[in-house]
Amino acid sequence: MSQFFNFARFGRLFSKHTTEQGGGYLLATGVLLGGLGLVLGFAAYMSSEPVTPDMQAVIFVMGLLAAGAFFTSTVLAFFGDKKQATAALMLPASHWEKYLVGWLYALPIFLAVYVGCFFLIDSLVLQLGSGGKPTEMVRLFSGEGKLYYSLLAYAVVNAVFLWGSIFFTRQHFVRTAFGVLLALVVLVALNFQVMQALVGRKLGTVMPYSGMALQEGKVWYSIKLPEAQSAWFGLVPLGIMLLAWAAAYRRVTEKQI
């Protein structure tokens, strides 16, 4: 039997985790349904017209990132508690299998549950609040709005908060969120200072991995890379995602009884 991964052993571990945590997950799903219902219902109540697809998309993305980040920050949190960590580490399964159970619940399973809950509540709210008027539901896999990009954004957020769930021993969500915000502020500030020093001119707003605006006399000029080269910046979040997942797994392997 492989010490790294075995399907039968992993199946028993996954089943054990589901049995023990299933009640809590069902309760969390109920809270998610209620929260989405309140937000979408409030948006429909405050508007004289049915909720537009754009507003639905905003609610979808904000709910996905917020709920997903909070849930992900809990899936490996038990490794930070000595009693829970001892029980988890004594289970006859490899570190990879234990990590994979948390990863599966935090990413593909959560995405499936969230998407299903959102469109269920969205369809109910649109039907009840339409008043007989024609309504349009936002589409996840539409080439126009490209809402499916939010799933990729969540994968990056998931990786960071998965790492935070095992790196910190308590207040995992708050500390990870604070660390992310602080890192973003520092990155934006340093990027602006470095770009202004390189150009040697007064610059407008300069965001990382984007174009910049500079002033020549009373005229402002916009400078940016060609679209083909700018597309390479998409590898940055991909790299962050893979590194964060790898770092989270590394922290799991470092845990000892």
Side-chain angles (χ1 to χ4, degrees):
M1 180 179 292
S2 172
Q3 296 299 314
F4 182 72
F5 183 82
N6 178 269
F7 277 107
R9 187 175 60 203
F10 174 75
R12 291 192 295 268
L13 179 65
F14 187 86
S15 177
K16 178 180 184 302
H17 179 87
T18 303
T19 301
E20 293 177 348
Q21 305 298 329
Y25 290 157
L26 287 176
L27 180 61
T29 302
V31 173
L32 177 63
L33 287 168
L36 290 172
L38 284 174
V39 175
L40 287 166
F42 181 76
Y45 175 77
M46 294 299 294
S47 175
S48 58
E49 300 291 334
V51 183
T52 64
D54 289 341
M55 178 58 69
Q56 296 172 44
V58 170
I59 296 174
F60 177 88
V61 174
M62 293 181 63
L64 173 65
L65 299 183
F70 182 80
F71 175 72
T72 303
S73 66
T74 67
V75 293
L76 297 179
F78 59 86
F79 279 108
D81 182 86
K82 291 185 178 180
K83 293 182 179 180
Q84 294 183 1
T86 300
L89 292 171
M90 290 182 66
L91 290 173
S94 67
H95 285 96
W96 172 246
E97 291 164 345
K98 296 168 186 176
Y99 170 80
L100 190 58
V101 169
W103 183 89
L104 285 173
Y105 266 103
L107 188 64
I109 295 178
F110 173 82
L111 280 177
V113 171
Y114 179 84
V115 170
C117 289
F118 177 85
F119 283 99
L120 172 63
I121 297 299
D122 193 30
S123 62
L124 291 175
V125 170
L126 290 178
Q127 290 178 9
L128 295 174
S130 63
K133 299 178 181 178
T135 59
E136 181 182 358
M137 181 185 295
V138 65
R139 290 178 291 179
L140 180 59
F141 297 103
S142 170
E144 183 179 351
K146 298 182 179 179
L147 186 59
Y148 53 85
Y149 279 147
S150 63
L151 304 182
L152 301 178
Y154 171 69
V156 179
V157 171
N158 164 269
V160 174
F161 278 83
L162 190 66
W163 169 82
S165 72
I166 191 172
F167 181 80
F168 299 107
T169 57
R170 55 191 179 90
Q171 298 177 328
H172 309 84
F173 175 75
V174 174
R175 296 190 177 195
T176 307
F178 178 79
V180 170
L181 291 175
L182 182 61
L184 289 175
V185 170
V186 172
L187 177 62
V188 171
L190 287 178
N191 180 76
F192 179 80
Q193 296 298 328
V194 170
M195 293 303 297
Q196 188 156 269
L198 289 174
V199 176
R201 297 174 182 271
K202 183 179 179 180
L203 299 178
T205 302
V206 182
M207 298 301 294
Y209 312 114
S210 67
M212 64 178 179
L214 58 88
Q215 186 177 16
E216 181 69 29
K218 295 183 179 181
V219 181
W220 284 90
Y221 296 92
S222 178
I223 302 176
K224 59 181 180 180
L225 289 173
E227 186 175 347
Q229 296 181 14
S230 298
W232 286 97
F233 288 134
L235 296 177
V236 175
L238 176 62
I240 294 175
M241 178 182 68
L242 296 177
L243 286 174
W245 279 340
Y249 173 66
R250 178 65 178 176
R251 292 287 295 184
V252 172
T253 62
E254 291 174 353
K255 297 294 181 178
Q256 302 292 334
I257 300 177

